[in-house]
Amino acid sequence: MAESLIQVILDSTIFVLPLWFGNAAPTILGGGAPIDGGRYWRDGKRVLGDGKTIRGFWAGTLVGGIIGGFIAGLIAWLSSFLPTPIFLNDNLILRLVYQDLLETGILYNFLSAFNLRGLFSNTVFLGFFTGGLMAFGGLIGDLIGSFIKRRSGIERGHPFIFLDQLGFLVLGMLLVYPLIPWSIEYLIVQVPITFIVHIAANLFGYFTGIQEDPL
Ligand code: CTP
Ligand code: MG
């Protein structure tokens, strides 16, 4: 049955929360050695630039995992005393909690081969894994974005509208697709929502002094 628009907005937003937090975390937790090691591309510009650091990348992945684990645990806990979860009944993360979806996925088969299927009974682990994987994908998307920006002559920290706000969303969602085959409505709805939230979060970070660039 088709979900209502409100339901899709709610579900998809809960779904991408690890991605939002994982992408924002490097602003606070990043710094140190750049991923490109300071190297230049053949066009004489930096491969990625100083805005993409190793620490930021892994900190963002970890934060995505923590958010994912927290959400999965919270939903499981809530549904343990709600007779019928009111809004989250058909939620992807809830389905993930109940394993009916993941048990047919490639990860399940992979873990089965190593006798690690028991991990699937651990809700928080599932959320941690998928949240971390999603954030990891998002941060890869962020690196691809910086690579494209440098090749287009855009300096580190300067905006590239749409690429900055949506590259991480698309890559992050794509990477978890084999585990959680989200419906296309999720992406359609999250393109405008994530776009607006990303800009709002950046402006907030700028005016509170957390980051130097407004976008
Ligand atoms: N950051 C980091 N490591 C990452 C991603 C981000 O340390 N892998 C930190 C950097 O301090 C960066 C800040 O988070 O300046 C904001 O991230 P972002 O806007 O993605 O980077 P920009 O500095 O704008 O660089 P670019 O133009 O390459 O996107
Ligand atoms: Mg930026």
Side-chain angles (χ1 to χ4, degrees):
M1 214 177 76
E3 293 177 283
S4 73
L5 181 61
I6 302 275
Q7 186 75 56
V8 175
I9 289 173
L10 253 168
D11 286 356
S12 65
T13 299
I14 294 171
F15 180 60
V16 298
L17 278 181
L19 208 41
W20 288 359
F21 281 93
N23 195 255
T27 307
I28 297 160
L29 303 173
I35 293 172
D36 67 8
R39 281 185 277 272
Y40 291 82
W41 194 248
R42 17 187 141 87
D43 55 12
K45 305 211 157 61
R46 284 285 294 277
V47 179
L48 299 172
D50 285 332
K52 303 295 123 122
T53 68
I54 298 167
R55 194 171 77 211
F57 186 89
W58 291 115
T61 300
L62 186 67
V63 165
I66 291 169
I67 297 292
F70 178 78
I71 293 170
L74 187 69
I75 292 174
W77 176 68
L78 287 175
S79 64
S80 71
F81 57 82
L82 286 179
T84 316
I86 301 156
F87 286 113
L88 301 172
N89 205 12
D90 200 31
N91 183 278
L92 269 183
I93 293 171
L94 201 70
R95 270 191 262 151
L96 181 144
V97 167
Y98 291 141
Q99 302 171 22
D100 63 326
L101 224 146
L102 268 168
E103 286 188 0
T104 58
I106 53 165
L107 175 69
Y108 186 78
N109 295 326
F110 176 78
L111 289 179
S112 296
F114 294 93
N115 286 322
L116 289 171
R117 272 179 310 184
L119 282 176
F120 275 89
S121 59
N122 189 326
T123 302
V124 174
F125 168 79
L126 283 180
F128 180 82
F129 185 87
T130 46
L133 189 69
M134 205 190 301
F136 176 82
L139 288 152
I140 295 282
D142 184 49
L143 298 185
I144 296 171
S146 289
F147 183 79
I148 294 171
K149 284 168 79 174
R150 298 302 89 81
R151 303 292 74 74
S152 322
I154 298 169
E155 279 174 45
R156 176 249 165 120
H158 288 214
F160 190 140
I161 299 299
F162 294 123
L163 187 66
D164 282 345
Q165 292 79 17
L166 300 173
F168 78 98
L169 175 75
V170 173
L171 260 283
M173 285 183 71
L174 276 182
L175 199 64
V176 293
Y177 189 82
L179 303 179
I180 307 171
W182 39 266
S183 62
I184 192 69
E185 287 87 20
Y186 278 50
L187 186 60
I188 294 168
V189 157
Q190 280 306 317
V191 163
I193 294 178
T194 297
F195 182 82
I196 292 166
V197 168
H198 191 280
I199 288 181
N202 274 266
L203 290 175
F204 175 81
Y206 177 68
F207 288 113
T208 51
I210 295 168
Q211 63 175 29
E212 282 172 32
D213 314 297
L215 282 178

